[in-house]
Amino acid sequence: MTGTRRRPTRGEGIAWAGELRALWTAPVWGATAAVMVLALALVARLWMAGASYGVLDPSVSALTSLPAALRAAAWQFATLLGLLLTAVVVATGLGQTLEGGTWSALRLFENRVGVLWARKAGAALALSLASQIVTGVLLWLGTSALARLWPVRPRAAAPGFSGSGAVHAPPPLPVETATWGQAAGAIAGALLVQFLFISLAGLAAALLRSVIGTLALGVGPLLVTAPLVMLPAAPFLPHRWIADLLNLPAEAQYQLYVWNQAPPDPSPLTGGLALAGVAALAAVAAWAGLRSERALRPVD
């Protein structure tokens, strides 16, 4: 009895590890590295531009703290950079499996479509979590180096405007801080957003059985509807829910975080529930599409 119980457990562990190994592909790691480099480049550009004038945005200056850097990394992976990375991961994983006609071969070893879909979604979430942590550490190290190489020295006001010979320095900007609890909350929120992205891309892969189609349909709807955040329909869009859930600073959007510029409402619970509901619906729809007969037929 003991041996019969261990075999499925060991087999399940091997299957989960196999899904993670399947992500060791050039497109996935190239896209992951590109996201990290872009996140670092955005921070470095804003730091050097602000340090030379003695005025640094609080969203950038806070990154010298590790919790704030981890929170910033989570915000990056929950917005456009994370959306693009998720589309590449699902397209080169699930999309390639369906397009190449190997999905039916997987069904021979595991007929439970829900288990196969959960493995692929779980592997993508695990990659996202690891990438967030690595990016946060790199942001912390990078901004700590920038603080030494380009220290912020506020410029003094000209004495002629003060009416005396005294030199007055402009008041410094408030420095944002983040606790470890806020960092953990941002990472959890980013994983929920990532689950939404994964589910939408998985649904696209199930419907189209194409790598290119998965990329297009996985990213396209959110990009096309992004301008609507400036209209009265904004409260009903996932873009606004993401900003509400993560409490993205409005002044840093489209500068540090490539997302909408609509100021978020202080309603993270509403945004989180809306995102969870839509993600669950998309995940069930992807499971139904993968379970259909069309997904089992070989590619024409």
Side-chain angles (χ1 to χ4, degrees):
M1 294 295 293
T2 305
T4 57
R5 291 180 180 177
R6 288 179 180 175
R7 287 174 187 171
T9 303
R10 185 166 57 247
E12 287 290 334
I14 294 174
W16 281 96
E19 291 293 344
L20 291 173
R21 287 196 301 269
L23 296 178
W24 286 84
T25 60
V28 170
W29 291 111
T32 305
V35 168
M36 294 180 180
V37 170
L38 285 174
L40 291 170
L42 288 171
V43 170
R45 178 182 63 85
L46 292 175
W47 184 287
M48 290 186 288
S52 61
Y53 290 97
V55 177
L56 198 61
D57 189 274
S59 299
V60 179
S61 61
L63 300 183
T64 52
S65 168
L66 182 56
L70 290 172
R71 183 183 64 175
W75 287 348
Q76 291 286 10
F77 279 79
T79 48
L80 181 61
L81 294 182
L83 169 61
L84 295 176
L85 175 60
T86 299
V88 172
V89 170
V90 177
T92 58
L94 182 60
Q96 180 66 39
T97 300
L98 292 168
E99 185 180 50
T102 58
W103 180 254
S104 56
L106 291 176
R107 293 287 301 273
L108 295 176
F109 296 93
E110 177 56 78
N111 192 42
R112 295 172 297 176
V113 177
V115 173
L116 292 174
W117 169 229
R119 288 174 186 167
K120 293 189 176 296
L125 285 175
L127 174 65
S128 174
L129 176 60
S131 301
Q132 288 181 49
I133 295 175
V134 173
T135 303
V137 173
L138 290 177
L139 285 174
W140 173 56
L141 294 175
T143 50
S144 298
L146 288 171
R148 294 179 177 273
L149 296 175
W150 285 277
V152 181
R153 297 187 178 92
R155 292 186 175 183
F161 294 99
S162 62
S164 64
V167 178
H168 300 281
L173 289 175
V175 177
E176 292 184 353
T177 58
T179 64
W180 286 105
Q182 290 173 331
I187 291 175
L191 290 178
L192 173 59
V193 176
Q194 279 285 309
F195 181 60
L196 170 63
F197 293 165
I198 292 168
S199 300
L200 292 175
L203 176 60
L207 294 176
L208 302 177
R209 296 186 301 161
S210 168
V211 173
I212 301 300
T214 302
L215 286 171
L217 194 57
V219 177
L222 288 177
L223 292 182
V224 171
T225 56
L228 299 179
V229 297
M230 305 306 294
L231 300 178
F236 306 99
L237 296 175
H239 311 75
R240 186 61 172 271
W241 302 339
I242 292 172
D244 292 345
L245 173 64
L246 300 176
N247 196 21
L248 289 175
E251 67 277 3
Q253 297 182 46
Y254 269 128
Q255 298 184 57
L256 188 57
Y257 315 103
V258 188
W259 204 235
N260 64 79
Q261 288 180 303
D265 292 328
S267 54
L269 180 60
T270 302
L273 290 176
L275 288 170
V278 174
L281 289 176
V284 171
W287 167 79
L290 293 171
R291 191 171 178 268
S292 67
E293 292 297 326
R294 181 176 184 272
L296 293 176
R297 290 203 302 266
V299 177
D300 299 329

